[in-house]
Amino acid sequence: MSICPNCGSKHIEQHDASGASICTECGVVVEENAIVSSVEFVEGAGGASSMVGQFVSQTSARAYTAGRGGRYGFSRDSRETTLLNGRRRIQDVASRMRLGSHYVDAAHRLFTIAVEKNFVQGRRTTHVVAACLYISCRQEKSQHMLIDFSDALQVNVYTLGTCFLKFRRLLGLKLEIIDPALYVYRFAAHLELLDKANAVALTALRLVGRMKRDWIVLGRRPAGICAAALLIAARAHGFSRHHQDVTRILRVCGLTVHTRVKEFEKTPSAGLTLEQFHTVEIEHEVDPPAFTKNRIRK
């Protein structure tokens, strides 16, 4: 409720026609030219209708200008048009990736910053939109990977990766390293493990935790760690799975999975049975694989 700054009275009368608020006690104009949400039209001399006032949207910095002839429609500036097209593109990509509305809002805020910093100049809007959505997914710690956006948009993953890295460097964002455990349940469902899918996923999660303590995860891509953990866990539960089965699902190189498996074989946990691995806690930590390899060379 408005209060008169002159006499302190709360008896304020509103005049919708002029948009003014007047105190009924002392007559002071408390507010004038107030913005109203209603739209009014007046009829001119020739019988044509025209709107009273100007329209101001929620995201615009100023009022729209009248369209051609001063009667029909409104024209937006290029910045607002770019933001509207960007939000439309973000909603389109988010619907393909089955992302919620909070991902769209977060990505649109990032896209607005990209427009303000002229990051969209000389780049495809689709690439910038994918980078904004991927950053929002990283911040929310979702299970989506950059290659998922590459498949949805049919764009080279390295092109999207370059755009993402440049945008992150421009904003100075410090994103947390992705935990490989985020992808375990997602990709375990694609290995055709039947009713043992949950048990294999739990073993794979424990394997990822063991790899973290043995310095295998540090500096490695999470997809390769997840693929190696799922392969070892599936074999431990009696499933005949090969490197091609996990590389086809997680889109990683077979040599990467083979290297991660070989590094795990050199740890004390590799000599335990499945029951012992779930019950025995080995406190000793193995040296990082790179350190061991360099020591052998010397």
Side-chain angles (χ1 to χ4, degrees), residues 14 16 35 44 79 81 195 206 229 242:
Q14 305 288 338
D16 296 333
I35 298 177
R79 178 183 177 275
T81 304
D195 56 342
R206 192 171 179 86
H242 302 281

Side-chain angles (χ1 to χ4, degrees), residues 84-150:
L84 290 175
N85 292 334
R87 187 173 184 86
R88 194 179 303 112
R89 294 280 187 90
I90 290 173
Q91 291 174 343
D92 181 36
V93 177
S95 63
R96 299 184 193 179
M97 303 294 297
R98 298 180 180 179
L99 295 173
S101 59
H102 61 286
Y103 291 97
V104 175
D105 296 336
H108 186 253
R109 288 192 293 268
L110 292 171
F111 187 81
T112 304
I113 299 175
V115 173
E116 292 176 353
K117 294 183 177 293
N118 292 328
F119 186 77
V120 297
Q121 298 295 331
R123 293 183 174 86
R124 292 183 178 273
T125 306
T126 306
H127 299 173
V128 181
V129 164
C132 295
L133 275 173
Y134 180 64
I135 291 176
S136 64
C137 290
R138 287 283 297 271
Q139 291 175 340
E140 294 291 336
K141 296 182 180 180
S142 68
Q143 300 177 353
H144 295 83
M145 304 169 65
L146 188 62
I147 198 170
D148 298 330
F149 292 92
S150 175

Side-chain angles (χ1 to χ4, degrees), residues 9-260:
S9 175
K10 296 183 180 179
H11 300 284
I12 308 297
E13 184 177 349
Q14 305 288 338
H15 288 265
D16 296 333
S18 61
S21 301
I22 303 174
C23 176
T24 58
E25 298 291 337
C26 61
V28 172
V29 178
V30 179
E31 186 180 8
E32 60 181 349
N33 297 328
I35 298 177
V36 295
S37 58
S38 61
V39 180
E40 297 180 358
F41 295 88
V42 295
E43 186 176 352
S49 299
S50 61
M51 195 188 75
V52 177
Q54 291 179 313
F55 179 75
V56 182
S57 69
Q58 183 178 3
T59 57
S60 63
R62 53 192 175 88
Y64 291 171
T65 57
R68 186 176 301 176
R71 295 187 302 174
Y72 304 109
F74 298 93
S75 62
R76 301 183 177 94
D77 55 359
S78 60
R79 178 183 177 275
E80 187 170 357
T81 304
T82 304
L83 292 177
L84 290 175
N85 292 334
R87 187 173 184 86
R88 194 179 303 112
R89 294 280 187 90
I90 290 173
Q91 291 174 343
D92 181 36
V93 177
S95 63
R96 299 184 193 179
M97 303 294 297
R98 298 180 180 179
L99 295 173
S101 59
H102 61 286
Y103 291 97
V104 175
D105 296 336
H108 186 253
R109 288 192 293 268
L110 292 171
F111 187 81
T112 304
I113 299 175
V115 173
E116 292 176 353
K117 294 183 177 293
N118 292 328
F119 186 77
V120 297
Q121 298 295 331
R123 293 183 174 86
R124 292 183 178 273
T125 306
T126 306
H127 299 173
V128 181
V129 164
C132 295
L133 275 173
Y134 180 64
I135 291 176
S136 64
C137 290
R138 287 283 297 271
Q139 291 175 340
E140 294 291 336
K141 296 182 180 180
S142 68
Q143 300 177 353
H144 295 83
M145 304 169 65
L146 188 62
I147 198 170
D148 298 330
F149 292 92
S150 175
D151 292 340
L153 299 174
Q154 295 298 308
V155 180
N156 191 334
V157 65
Y158 294 103
T159 304
L160 294 181
T162 302
C163 183
F164 158 70
L165 292 176
K166 289 182 179 179
F167 189 45
R168 189 192 66 173
R169 194 180 303 114
L170 175 66
L171 299 181
L173 292 176
K174 294 183 179 179
L175 300 176
E176 296 183 4
I177 299 176
I178 302 176
D179 190 354
L182 290 174
Y183 304 129
V184 170
Y185 279 101
R186 172 187 171 184
F187 293 109
H190 298 281
L191 287 177
E192 298 179 359
L193 302 174
L194 303 178
D195 56 342
K196 289 189 177 181
N198 189 40
V200 173
L202 290 175
T203 304
L205 288 174
R206 192 171 179 86
L207 282 167
V208 171
R210 186 66 249 181
M211 289 180 179
K212 289 180 181 178
R213 290 190 290 271
D214 290 333
W215 299 90
I216 299 177
V217 176
L218 189 63
R220 295 338 182 1
R221 293 187 177 182
I225 299 295
C226 179
L230 283 174
L231 180 62
I232 297 173
R235 290 177 176 177
H237 283 270
F239 292 96
S240 178
R241 294 293 182 270
H242 302 281
H243 293 79
Q244 295 81 3
D245 298 328
V246 292
T247 56
R248 174 176 49 84
I249 297 174
L250 279 94
R251 310 288 185 84
V252 293
C253 179
L255 181 61
T256 302
V257 180
H258 179 75
T259 304
R260 299 291 91 81

